[in-house]
Structure formats: C-alpha cells, structure tokens
Amino acid sequence: MKFLIVLFSLFTLLLGDNILKIATYNVENLFDLEKNGYKYKEYIPNSKSLWNKKNYKIKLQNISRVIKDIDADIIALQEVHSLQALKDLRFTLKQNGLYYQYYSIADKKNTAIKVAFLSKVPFVYAKELSVTLSYKYRNILEAKFRLNNNDLYIFINHWKSKSGPESMRITSAKTLRKRITEIGYDKNIILLGDFNSDYEEYIKFKRKRKHNDTNGKTGINHVLRTLKLTQKAEDLKYEKDNFYNLWYDTDASKRYSYIFRGKKEALDNILISQPLLDKKGISYIDSSITNLDAKYLFKKKNIYRWQVSRAKIPKHKGKGYSDHLPVMAKFRVK
C-alpha cells in the first residue's frame, strides 16, 4: 500500500506542477467554553447569554462547513479565542472529513481574539511578531514553509478595527515591514488576513476624515507599498520592495469580504511579494483570487453573521456563520 502511495505521488509530480490553495477567514469570535482568559461579556460560558455547549457546537459546525467548502491547503484564521478553540475547530473539521495535521496560534498576548492557521502541509516554524506591548494590538503570526525546495513566508494579520484611527493600523504595518526587511523582499512572501483596510484605503480616507490622523498615509497602501501595483497580474513589471494586492486581479464587483450598512468592503486582503509573480518556483495563478460567496452565507442582502440578540442581556440564537466572507487564491509550485 505504501509503495502505491509513493508511486502515485511520483506520478503526480511527473504529470505537472502542484497547486496550492491559500485562504483567509475571519471566523467572528470563536470563543471556547473555558472559564480562563479574557472574554467579551456575551461569551462568558454558561451565562444568561446562552454561550453554552449547544451553541458552541453549532458555531463549530457552521464554521467547519465554510472551511470545508474552501478546502484550502493553508487557511489563515482571525478571531480565534484560544488554542483550545482552534483544536476544537480542527477536531470538528476532522469529523466532517477535512483533516489539518498542522496548526499554530499567536497566543503569547492575552488578547480576547487571536490569529491562527490550519495547514495540510508541514511548516518549518511559526512564531509571533509582537506589535507593541499594548493589548490594543494583536500580534502577527509568521510561518515559514518549505515546498519543493522553495521557501514561502506567510504572515497572518488582524489589524485594529475602524473604531481606532489609522495610526494604529500603521503601527501593525510597520512591525510587519520591519520583519520583511530582515527576510528580504526577494523572498516568496504572502501577507494576508483582516487588515481592516480596503485595497484602496488611501482613497476612502477622503470620505472618512475621522480615521485620518496620519496626513493621508495608510498602513496597507503606503507602509506596505501597494500603490504602484494596481493592474492585472499578468501585466505587472517588477517594482522593488512593493507588494501586489490580489484584489486587483479580479473584477471590481467581486472585491469584497464584508458589508457595512449595505456597502461592500474589502477588509480582508491577500498581498504578495514580486517573486510570486515571476512564474518560477512558487507563483500566483492569474485571476485565481476570489471570495466565497455561497448563498448560505447571506441573509437577504447581508452576510449571515453569527446571530446574537441586541437585548440588554445579549443572547446567542444558535444561527449564522461570520460577518466576513473567506478570501482565497491559488499558487503553482513547480
């Protein structure tokens, strides 16, 4: 049997390149049922809010349904409360026929929600990038993979929400940029997650002045340098130290992962370094970025988020998924 598996793997490699699907998904407050750790009041286990075993299992099953439909080789997650919550999600996925052998979470800082990932392929290491000591900032998770003798660095982000000014998101962007400078812009690098920033955040600033405490500078566009690369991937030329936002590689109507007051927004992004566009080693497959806009993820014209009542004591209804849509892209590994 082992001989047949090895033979099949060799035959697959001889036929052509491997395809790697990478995704990002904000799962909206996946809290466990443990009493320890900081939690939002509506997620205190077994309280009047009805965050209990029944609703927790429904949440796990619903999120697992989405992740199974994505079926990514590596999926970055945001808003995971703890390692226990990540393990429970992984176990639920396994029960539903999707097994992720490898996983990690950025849990060194006691924030309520954290970033994590699940992977079908092994990683060389996973470590946290500390975004200041303040608990107002979530740490970034860095993971290195080795694929067919090619190194791939993935950075999972969840930047400050729009409840804070742009200077807070710039703080996270600068932490990221410092680390990328150490690695080198000539490496295969993917930055993904919930940046709480549009792919053209610098333009939206003109209409949302309350966020602009940085004289028009943004973390995603200016610090990470995505301004110069705005055309189709197959037409791009190398721009030193710039990242390409994959949203530009799909139709404008598909560029969203979130809906706020009826308006579609692209808070979740996948950015890639220039070597991933050169068609060598590991390379992005043109026009492969997409959101998962399955019908069950919508309720009327809104994304079908996890349902919690707005009563004086918020109560979980045991329905819904997340307030974000997943985003995914494909890469070829030669």
Side-chain angles (χ1 to χ4, degrees):
M1 184 65 182
K2 288 183 179 180
F3 172 77
L4 290 175
I5 293 173
V6 171
L7 188 63
F8 177 78
S9 299
L10 181 60
F11 183 64
T12 302
L13 289 172
L14 290 172
L15 280 176
D17 305 331
N18 294 318
I19 304 301
L20 185 74
K21 183 188 284 189
I22 296 177
T24 180
Y25 187 28
N26 183 322
V27 297
E28 191 184 13
N29 297 330
L30 183 60
F31 283 84
D32 60 34
L33 292 177
E34 305 295 323
K35 291 184 178 180
N36 58 312
Y38 170 65
K39 287 180 168 67
Y40 302 147
K41 63 179 182 179
E42 64 268 32
Y43 285 93
I44 296 174
N46 303 310
S47 63
K48 292 181 180 179
S49 68
L50 302 181
W51 185 241
N52 49 33
K53 186 175 181 180
K54 177 184 176 182
N55 282 326
Y56 182 46
K57 282 190 172 182
I58 294 172
K59 173 77 172 182
L60 289 170
Q61 288 290 347
N62 288 6
I63 295 300
S64 293
R65 178 185 180 183
V66 181
I67 294 176
K68 188 176 180 183
D69 282 351
I70 300 167
D71 194 20
D73 297 289
I74 303 169
I75 181 165
L77 304 170
Q78 300 85 48
E79 298 199 15
V80 179
H81 172 65
S82 65
L83 179 59
Q84 185 60 54
L86 182 64
K87 286 182 176 179
D88 290 343
L89 176 61
R90 178 173 171 264
F91 180 73
T92 305
L93 283 163
K94 186 177 179 181
Q95 288 181 315
N96 286 281
L98 181 58
Y99 181 52
Y100 286 103
Q101 184 175 355
Y102 310 99
Y103 58 95
S104 186
I105 186 170
D107 60 355
K108 289 184 178 179
K109 188 183 289 186
N110 192 28
T111 52
I113 47 179
K114 305 167 182 69
V115 298
F117 72 82
L118 297 169
S119 177
K120 297 178 183 178
V121 296
F123 53 91
V124 178
Y125 68 74
K127 65 179 182 179
E128 295 181 44
L129 300 183
S130 178
V131 185
T132 79
L133 296 177
S134 172
Y135 291 98
K136 294 181 180 179
Y137 300 85
R138 289 172 283 268
N139 284 349
I140 296 167
L141 185 58
E142 172 189 341
K144 180 181 178 180
F145 295 82
R146 184 75 173 165
L147 305 167
N148 287 2
N149 294 320
N150 297 286
D151 290 337
L152 175 65
Y153 297 86
I154 295 179
F155 293 85
I156 304 166
N157 298 264
H158 187 192
W159 293 2
K160 178 64 180 176
S161 71
K162 293 296 178 69
S163 64
E166 185 62 20
S167 57
M168 298 186 75
R169 287 176 286 283
I170 279 185
T171 298
S172 294
K174 285 183 175 179
T175 300
L176 195 55
R177 185 171 177 78
K178 180 181 178 182
R179 176 59 182 149
I180 293 165
T181 302
E182 293 171 355
I183 295 172
Y185 283 84
D186 59 334
K187 301 297 193 300
N188 298 312
I189 301 172
I190 299 176
L191 318 177
L192 77 173
D194 181 358
F195 292 82
N196 275 302
S197 303
D198 187 79
Y199 60 96
E200 291 183 341
E201 187 68 21
Y202 71 103
I203 295 176
K204 293 200 169 186
F205 257 15
K206 296 176 181 178
R207 301 189 295 270
K208 297 181 179 180
R209 294 183 180 180
K210 69 176 184 177
H211 295 137
N212 187 1
D213 64 341
T214 56
N215 294 319
K217 303 296 182 182
T218 68
I220 193 169
N221 299 130
H222 295 87
V223 178
L224 297 183
R225 297 181 181 176
T226 61
L227 283 174
K228 292 185 178 180
L229 304 178
T230 58
Q231 65 259 50
K232 293 286 286 183
E234 66 255 26
D235 300 324
L236 285 174
K237 295 181 180 179
Y238 185 86
E239 291 281 351
K240 187 178 180 181
D241 297 355
N242 280 258
F243 277 86
Y244 178 53
N245 193 320
L246 293 185
W247 278 129
Y248 286 112
D249 201 46
T250 190
D251 294 336
S253 62
K254 293 284 288 184
R255 298 175 190 171
Y256 76 98
S257 60
Y258 190 79
I259 299 176
F260 181 68
R261 295 178 179 175
K263 294 183 178 181
K264 295 178 179 179
E265 299 182 356
L267 300 185
D268 306 270
N269 296 265
I270 302 178
L271 282 61
I272 62 174
S273 61
Q274 294 301 296
L276 289 170
L277 291 166
D278 64 10
K279 309 301 180 185
K280 300 175 183 177
I282 303 174
S283 61
Y284 167 66
I285 297 176
D286 295 340
S287 303
S288 67
I289 184 172
T290 184
N291 59 21
L292 180 66
D293 58 355
K295 288 184 178 180
Y296 69 85
L297 291 176
F298 292 85
K299 192 173 185 180
K300 295 183 180 179
K301 294 184 179 181
N302 294 312
I303 296 173
Y304 193 11
R305 68 182 303 172
W306 181 252
Q307 299 294 296
V308 183
S309 72
R310 296 183 179 180
K312 187 175 181 180
I313 300 177
K315 293 186 178 180
H316 295 269
K317 299 180 180 180
K319 300 177 182 179
Y321 298 85
S322 168
D323 54 348
H324 288 245
L325 296 179
V327 182
M328 64 205 86
K330 293 180 181 178
F331 296 81
R332 181 171 284 109
V333 183
K334 292 184 179 294

